[in-house]
Amino acid sequence: MKKKQAVTPVEKKNSKAEENFDSIKWIWLLIIPVLTFLVYQSVTTFDATNWDDKAYLQETPMVRDLNMEKTKSIFTKKVLNSYNPIVLLTFAYDHKMAKLKPEWCHSVNLFFHIMNAILVFICMRKLRFKTNHAGIIAILFALHPLATEAVAWIAGRKDVVYLFFFLFSWKFYLDFFHLKKNIFLVASLLFFVLSLLSKVQAITLPFILIASDLMLDQKFDKKRLLNKIPYVILSLVFGIIAISGSGELMADKYSVPFTIFDKLVYSVMAFGLYFVKIIFPFHQIAIYQFPKAGSSEFVVDLIIGIIAVVSIIIGFVISFKKNPRLAAGLLFFAVSVFPVLHLVAVNSALIYERFVYLADIGIFIAVFALIEQIPKQEKRLSYIMIAVCVLFTGLTYARIPVWKNSISLWTDVIEKDPTAADAYTNRGQYYESINEYDKAFLDFSECVKLQPNKPQGYHNRAVSYFHKSDFKNALLDNQHVLDIDPKHTDALVNRGAIFFNMDQNDSAIFYYKKALEVSPGLAKTYYFLGSSYFKLKDFNSAAKNYKKATELITDFSDAYVYLAVSYVHLGKIQEAEFAINAAEKYTPNSAARTMSSNELIQLGNAAYRNGQVDAAFDYYKESASIMPTNAESYFNLGGIYLVRHDIVRARENWKKTISLNPGHVEANNWLQKTGGIN
């Protein structure tokens, strides 16, 4: 029998190298999250902006108090014309944990970003990049200045969440590639579905997997395409879901629609800018406007785009056989960017920085594929990339405060591009929300100057006039809006509000109804319509509209309050009590009970003045029943008993009045007149 051989020196050397690799790996797994957190930690104190954040945090009731019905809505409805149910579920979690406080929401975004950076490192290692190179790629991803939009903007949640599941799916596919175990392929597909349910941009994964095969096999293997078929099918299904019901929409319906040629030209420009911005991320701005046709900027952007497209194609063709990893990186970038180009997507700006949250990884892969092909210069080039990391970190650190709130964001845009009308609109709306109407008026007026043929500036300025009670000028600007767009829902609603405040309730009702013809699901418009009927003392119509408002928004506390008061006037006390309870359920300190009780007292007083003593008595009793702590109810009941010559019960009610309100002068006087306090 042969003796067991001792471990050879070579094996000892490999073991030591493996141990060294593990230590380096864990160092990077510490550096990546810690450095990312240190750079981004300030976002955990930021406010929400009025750029889509409001839609998720305030205007999407399905994420509040999640139940089966709301969960169904999350998976069957779109928000902001996007199908992102998993993202909405994360906001539902935010509501449960912190009532959607902006600081919490920002922290969740940062958590996903940190996890994504770690996953990028893991995936790069599985693609057989050297440990240090994988770490530098992860840092470049984590601290690239263009990533700030996805991380520091609450509505950027779509990007950080979809990429989280995307990277997990990619990681499990790479495990499948190396270990040939089908369980990893199943896990990859499951995470792919979660990524698709977060953002449709995940449909690029099948092509990323092909690029991965190219990096690992160093060749294009047609047989491996078979395992991509399930991914392709899922991509097609979710692609159809994404475009369903969206074909008729435009980025700006008040602009001339793009022709196919326009879309092609702007797609080339966007492709070039995305490529250049990843390498040279300077002069960042939230809104990259379309350059005016024929302008010098238009020509330059188009030339850059053409050069970028041609360079990527030539680079891919040349490197396909000589350096497949480089070819794969270029393919990664091109495929990741393609779904967000104007030939495919409907965008209201030339580019959005968040759209390269995945694509920049392809450029980093390409760079290190080149570096690893030059072993003699590898160390020096790696140091250069570390210097680039330092530069990017500084740019990111300087960029992050721009996202602190709406003022900082839109002021930054205006300073860099004074022709950005949307920035004036958004900043003006923020000023309006904090009651700084003069500043809002100036921004809205600037928007009107920049876009005199579009309704937004006129509409917002009309609102400013309204807040100043300048109803004449409010109506003039409002009419400008309706001249441009007779079905402008907000303008119709606001015109109704103007007439309501001018006590022209018939006109208010007319415009509220026109608004509901255009958009039948406007809960607040039903509330306003109910208020107009309420002022006209048509309590039956008022109640119907208040009820409709509560059906559309179940926690619409103000609607419940006036629904209760309307029922009081209709003599439907049981229904009024139900509405009061609903109002108190959603707003514990609701005025519904007090208002209803006091309204019954007023009705009782009116009945008494008309000689209807019994009716007055019933009103006062109902008032006390609805609100047993309302001292005035008992005082008036005492008066009715006095009229009926029932001194004992009159005094009982006046004593009850004093027990609730010891300072009630009239109750004390009547007790003195009828036999003393005791």
Side-chain angles (χ1 to χ4, degrees):
M1 180 181 289
K2 292 183 178 180
K3 291 183 178 180
K4 189 175 180 181
Q5 292 182 356
V7 177
T8 65
V10 173
E11 286 175 317
K12 287 182 179 179
K13 184 178 180 180
N14 289 341
S15 177
K16 187 175 182 181
E18 187 68 27
E19 183 181 332
N20 186 49
F21 159 70
D22 284 340
S23 64
I24 295 173
K25 179 185 73 172
W26 287 110
I27 289 171
W28 277 110
L29 287 174
L30 177 65
I31 290 173
I32 292 166
V34 169
L35 183 58
T36 305
F37 176 78
L38 290 175
V39 173
Y40 271 102
Q41 57 86 24
S42 62
V43 303
T44 61
T45 65
F46 285 5
D47 197 359
T49 70
N50 61 352
W51 194 27
D52 290 355
D53 290 352
K54 182 180 177 184
Y56 288 109
L57 304 188
Q58 299 177 24
E59 299 171 356
T60 308
M62 64 185 81
V63 305
R64 298 171 181 271
D65 302 316
L66 194 64
N67 54 34
M68 286 302 297
E69 183 181 347
K70 290 182 177 180
T71 302
K72 181 181 177 181
S73 295
I74 283 174
F75 280 91
T76 56
K77 295 181 180 179
K78 292 183 177 182
V79 174
L80 295 176
N81 200 41
S82 295
Y83 184 65
N84 318 106
I86 297 297
V87 175
L88 295 180
L89 285 177
T90 68
F91 282 120
Y93 173 79
D94 291 346
H95 181 266
K96 181 179 180 180
M97 297 302 295
K99 299 299 180 184
L100 293 169
K101 290 181 179 177
E103 300 87 349
W104 171 273
C105 295
H106 281 297
S107 298
V108 172
N109 275 29
L110 178 54
F111 166 78
F112 277 109
H113 182 57
I114 291 172
M115 292 302 298
N116 290 343
I118 293 171
L119 285 167
V120 167
F121 173 74
I122 292 171
C123 289
M124 292 305 103
R125 280 297 305 144
K126 291 182 181 297
L127 288 170
R128 298 177 183 148
F129 277 101
K130 295 179 180 179
T131 305
N132 286 336
H133 291 175
I136 295 171
I137 290 173
I139 291 293
L140 286 169
F141 164 81
L143 299 178
H144 195 284
L146 298 189
T148 55
E149 182 167 295
V151 184
W153 180 39
I154 290 175
R157 178 73 61 85
K158 296 192 293 290
D159 295 277
V160 293
V161 170
Y162 108 79
L163 195 62
F164 174 75
F165 295 116
F166 187 101
L167 292 171
F168 258 117
S169 180
W170 190 19
K171 180 257 183 199
F172 281 119
Y173 175 82
L174 295 173
D175 288 334
F176 167 75
F177 183 97
H178 292 298
L179 303 174
K180 304 298 185 290
K181 292 184 178 180
N182 288 332
I183 187 65
F184 291 119
L185 190 62
V186 172
S188 176
L189 287 166
L190 288 174
F191 276 98
F192 182 42
V193 171
L194 293 173
S195 185
L196 289 165
L197 287 168
S198 302
K199 191 175 182 182
V200 73
Q201 197 174 345
I203 62 173
T204 58
L205 182 61
F207 301 97
I208 302 303
L209 300 185
I210 292 171
S212 301
D213 291 347
L214 184 60
M215 280 186 268
L216 292 167
D217 269 347
Q218 302 293 297
K219 64 182 190 300
F220 182 73
D221 188 347
K222 294 181 181 178
K223 291 182 180 179
R224 290 192 183 277
L225 290 177
L226 292 176
N227 62 34
K228 312 300 186 298
I229 292 175
Y231 294 94
V232 173
I233 292 172
L234 287 169
S235 294
L236 289 172
V237 169
F238 279 88
I240 292 169
I241 291 172
I243 63 175
S244 63
S246 305
E248 75 282 358
L249 294 177
M250 296 170 49
D252 182 356
K253 70 177 184 176
Y254 302 108
S255 299
V256 178
F258 288 157
T259 64
I260 294 296
F261 180 74
D262 292 331
K263 292 180 179 180
L264 176 61
V265 169
Y266 287 126
S267 292
V268 171
M269 287 182 181
F271 187 91
L273 280 178
Y274 284 131
F275 182 73
V276 170
K277 283 286 183 180
I278 290 172
I279 301 170
F280 303 106
F282 304 105
H283 191 73
Q284 289 181 255
I285 189 169
I287 299 177
Y288 291 83
Q289 297 196 92
F290 291 98
K292 188 176 180 181
S295 66
S296 59
E297 184 184 1
F298 182 95
V299 174
V300 170
D301 285 350
L302 183 56
I303 292 172
I304 290 173
I306 293 171
I307 292 172
V309 171
V310 172
S311 298
I312 294 291
I313 293 172
I314 293 175
F316 177 81
V317 172
I318 292 175
S319 62
F320 186 78
K321 290 185 178 180
K322 294 182 178 180
N323 189 344
R325 291 163 75 82
L326 171 59
L330 297 176
L331 177 63
F332 189 117
F333 165 75
V335 165
S336 301
V337 164
F338 183 76
V340 299
L341 299 179
H342 302 279
L343 281 170
V344 181
V346 179
N347 299 322
S348 56
L350 182 59
I351 66 169
Y352 291 107
E353 292 178 354
R354 63 187 180 276
F355 284 173
V356 294
Y357 189 56
L358 167 66
D360 57 6
I361 298 173
I363 300 299
F364 306 147
I365 287 173
V367 168
F368 278 91
L370 282 172
I371 290 174
E372 291 186 357
Q373 285 288 304
I374 316 173
K376 291 183 178 180
Q377 298 296 323
E378 185 179 312
K379 190 172 184 180
R380 181 178 297 176
L381 292 173
S382 296
Y383 284 140
I384 291 173
M385 293 311 300
I386 291 173
V388 172
C389 286
V390 173
L391 173 62
F392 283 2
T393 300
L395 292 172
T396 297
Y397 190 78
R399 178 67 182 166
I400 289 170
V402 168
W403 294 92
K404 184 175 184 179
N405 53 42
S406 297
I407 292 295
S408 58
L409 176 61
W410 302 121
T411 299
D412 177 75
V413 174
I414 290 167
E415 288 175 351
K416 292 173 180 174
D417 184 0
T419 68
D422 287 346
Y424 287 105
T425 294
N426 293 333
R427 190 174 70 173
Q429 288 176 341
Y430 177 77
Y431 281 136
E432 189 178 78
S433 71
I434 58 174
N435 302 325
E436 293 193 19
Y437 299 119
D438 290 334
K439 290 182 179 179
F441 179 83
L442 292 174
D443 276 350
F444 295 148
S445 295
E446 191 63 34
C447 184
V448 169
K449 290 179 185 177
L450 292 168
Q451 295 181 333
N453 298 319
K454 293 185 179 182
Q456 197 62 26
Y458 294 109
H459 170 70
N460 287 303
R461 195 168 67 178
V463 174
S464 289
Y465 279 126
F466 174 83
H467 285 302
K468 294 179 178 184
S469 297
D470 186 348
F471 299 131
K472 180 181 177 181
N473 280 314
L475 285 172
L476 288 174
D477 268 352
N478 180 267
Q479 189 59 53
H480 276 301
V481 178
L482 295 175
D483 288 341
I484 297 169
D485 182 3
K487 293 186 177 181
H488 194 291
T489 306
D490 289 341
L492 291 168
V493 173
N494 286 354
R495 197 165 187 84
I498 294 167
F499 282 121
F500 177 84
N501 281 273
M502 294 172 69
D503 286 326
Q504 297 181 27
N505 290 290
D506 289 332
S507 295
I509 289 168
F510 174 81
Y511 283 103
Y512 287 144
K513 285 184 174 180
K514 286 197 72 172
L516 290 169
E517 288 174 8
V518 177
S519 302
L522 299 174
K524 289 187 178 180
T525 305
Y526 281 106
Y527 172 76
F528 297 147
L529 184 56
S531 298
S532 295
Y533 281 120
F534 191 92
K535 283 180 74 174
L536 292 173
K537 301 190 183 301
D538 183 351
F539 299 112
N540 190 50
S541 296
K544 287 180 180 178
N545 283 282
Y546 288 136
K547 191 170 188 298
K548 181 66 176 178
T550 62
E551 289 170 356
L552 291 168
I553 299 180
T554 55
D555 60 351
F556 200 158
S557 185
D558 286 346
Y560 283 115
V561 170
Y562 285 95
L563 177 60
V565 177
S566 297
Y567 279 142
V568 162
H569 280 279
L570 294 170
K572 298 180 178 181
I573 303 304
Q574 187 174 352
E575 289 89 339
E577 187 71 46
F578 174 83
I580 290 168
N581 290 334
E584 291 176 338
K585 175 184 176 181
Y586 299 113
T587 306
N589 60 346
S590 169
R593 193 170 297 279
T594 301
M595 288 178 63
S596 297
S597 180
N598 288 339
E599 198 69 26
L600 283 163
I601 291 173
Q602 295 304 317
L603 291 171
N605 293 344
Y608 184 81
R609 287 193 296 270
N610 291 328
Q612 299 172 344
V613 177
D614 291 342
F617 179 80
D618 290 339
Y619 282 128
Y620 297 145
K621 287 283 286 184
E622 288 166 351
S623 174
S625 174
I626 284 177
M627 187 176 179
T629 59
N630 192 337
E632 208 62 32
S633 303
Y634 298 102
F635 174 73
N636 285 294
L637 279 171
I640 297 296
Y641 282 119
L642 179 65
V643 170
R644 292 177 174 178
H645 305 294
D646 189 341
I647 301 298
V648 173
R649 290 188 177 179
R651 287 175 58 81
E652 286 176 357
N653 279 277
W654 290 331
K655 287 179 180 180
K656 180 71 172 178
T657 303
I658 292 172
S659 70
L660 294 169
N661 181 9
H664 200 291
V665 176
E666 291 180 277
N668 276 289
N669 289 341
W670 277 108
L671 283 172
Q672 291 285 3
K673 291 178 183 178
T674 55
I677 298 296
N678 297 322

